[in-house]
Amino acid sequence: MTANNGSASPGAEDPRFEDRDIAGTTDNPIPHLDGNAAAGPLWELFRIDIIAAIGRCKNCGAVRVFGEAAVYSDAPGIVVRCSSCGGVLLRLVETPTKFWLDVSGLSYLQIDREG
Amino acid sequence: MGIISSGFHGKRRTGNPALPQGQYETESFPVLTAGPAPYIARADWEFFITTETGQRRAWSWDEFMALPQVDIRTDIHCVTSWSKLGTSWRGVSLDALFEDVETTSEFTTAHSYGGYTTNVPLQDLLDGQAWVAWEFDGEPLERAHGGPARLLVPHLYFWKSAKWVNGIELTPHDVPGFWESNGYHIYGDPWREERYS
Ligand SMILES: [Zn+2]
């Protein structure tokens, strides 16, 4: 698995100049992935390939391909954030008995029909 | 190797009384986060407490540092099943922060820079059970771990110990936070394995 941004330069004079998405320490980068990282579990749930789907962020109104979203999976669940505003688009938690899916950050998802 | 020393090397060993059910011990300190790590300069940082009557108390970093500082040694338990034993922190007890706060609320929501929230009953924040911690292992708390300061409520699963904490809102009801509203337990006692709702 590859993170989008594992290369914050340690020793930068002002931490604000580092990638704002991470606060990686030498041993502990905070990686985020792209929308592919959420595709597997969503396929498992709905049998929809969501990568090419287009979603509208309820927070900022950006309309973007799902695959471009930022996925945080080093967490108690999967959190998908808008790559325009950082707002949460989708959260997915898998418990031993249930999936919990919150899509309240999306005002719509537009999914191509096959064929 | 004698019986006594084996306990100190007992990773993943069942029956370690310091480990709640379903937890294993780790030496590392995994970074878990639901989003980007916000950058907050100490000069811009503040910690607030708001009450149900609309009162607001806030501390700047300097005011916060002028409060009594205590060292905390504690075990921490993450719901993703790692535990880290004997961690060292320094920070301010929530008892000190709540000293002049008048409230009849029994519940709170912790708010973080970056928008994260988690709910904790007020009684779980008081009586020496919770801190706003700014030092880990003798060093300023790294941004990845919630620096400048994070909440530390070690008797509950670690998602309650909100990183980048900004303040505590007293609430009339128990309002589920970020994870509690999407599958995780409203309270989160590791000793009862209260992982999921
Ligand atoms: Zn957005």
Side-chain angles (χ1 to χ4, degrees):
Chain A
M1 232 194 283
T2 53
N4 279 348
N5 49 11
S7 59
S9 53
E13 290 126 48
D14 185 335
R16 281 169 295 188
F17 293 149
E18 296 177 15
D19 187 331
R20 279 169 180 258
D21 283 353
I22 64 165
T25 65
T26 332
D27 301 325
N28 282 315
I30 294 178
H32 77 251
L33 309 166
D34 66 22
N36 286 284
L42 290 167
W43 171 261
E44 201 182 321
L45 259 176
F46 296 118
R47 304 288 162 196
I48 294 169
D49 185 3
I50 204 166
I51 291 298
I54 289 169
R56 183 181 183 276
C57 171
K58 200 173 247 179
N59 186 45
C60 76
V63 175
R64 301 186 71 142
V65 174
F66 190 86
E68 293 175 354
V71 176
Y72 293 83
S73 54
D74 288 335
I78 292 171
V79 180
V80 181
R81 289 177 179 270
C82 173
S83 48
S84 296
C85 75
V88 176
L89 300 174
L90 178 154
R91 300 182 295 167
L92 178 62
V93 167
E94 297 181 40
T95 80
T97 56
K98 288 181 175 67
F99 286 104
W100 283 77
L101 178 64
D102 167 21
V103 290
S104 61
L106 283 163
S107 38
Y108 63 74
L109 257 184
Q110 187 192 104
I111 302 155
D112 278 346
R113 299 179 69 166
E114 284 178 46
Chain B
M1 195 180 281
I3 289 168
I4 291 170
S5 67
S6 70
F8 293 100
H9 302 278
K11 277 190 212 174
R12 294 171 192 267
R13 167 177 166 260
T14 53
N16 182 343
L19 288 179
Q21 191 68 34
Q23 297 293 109
Y24 71 90
E25 184 182 358
T26 180
E27 300 283 333
S28 69
F29 194 169
V31 171
L32 273 75
T33 178
Y39 175 81
I40 311 108
R42 287 179 172 181
D44 301 327
W45 182 90
E46 72 162 11
F47 182 83
F48 69 78
I49 294 175
T50 58
T51 73
E52 70 280 11
T53 60
Q55 286 187 313
R56 188 176 194 277
R57 183 98 170 72
W59 293 261
S60 68
W61 184 263
D62 290 342
E63 289 164 346
F64 169 77
M65 293 305 284
L67 295 170
Q69 305 289 327
V70 292
D71 291 314
I72 309 115
R73 195 165 174 84
T74 188
D75 302 339
I76 56 179
H77 309 290
C78 177
V79 73
T80 59
S81 82
W82 56 264
S83 289
K84 193 168 170 58
L85 305 180
T87 57
S88 301
W89 306 80
R90 188 168 174 78
V92 173
S93 168
L94 268 288
D95 293 309
L97 292 157
F98 272 96
E99 200 170 271
D100 298 322
V101 175
E102 284 185 28
T103 181
T104 56
S105 291
E106 293 175 26
F107 302 101
T108 79
T109 293
H111 292 266
S112 294
Y113 290 98
Y116 181 80
T117 57
T118 187
N119 56 304
V120 184
L122 180 57
Q123 64 173 14
D124 287 86
L125 294 180
L126 303 177
D127 298 324
Q129 297 183 92
W131 299 268
V132 174
W134 58 274
E135 196 177 273
F136 174 76
D137 240 355
E139 301 285 342
L141 186 61
E142 288 175 4
R143 187 169 147 229
H145 289 300
R150 76 182 297 163
L151 195 61
L152 181 63
V153 195
H155 70 287
L156 301 178
Y157 278 123
F158 211 45
W159 88 76
K160 299 285 187 180
S161 294
K163 294 180 178 186
W164 310 296
V165 70
N166 182 200
I168 304 274
E169 175 194 4
L170 289 149
T171 58
H173 329 279
D174 205 1
V175 183
F178 187 86
W179 290 119
E180 296 87 355
S181 62
N182 203 52
Y184 282 92
H185 198 277
I186 189 87
Y187 182 64
D189 181 351
W191 296 99
R192 296 182 181 183
E193 254 201 297
E194 293 174 344
R195 297 177 196 274
Y196 308 109
S197 60

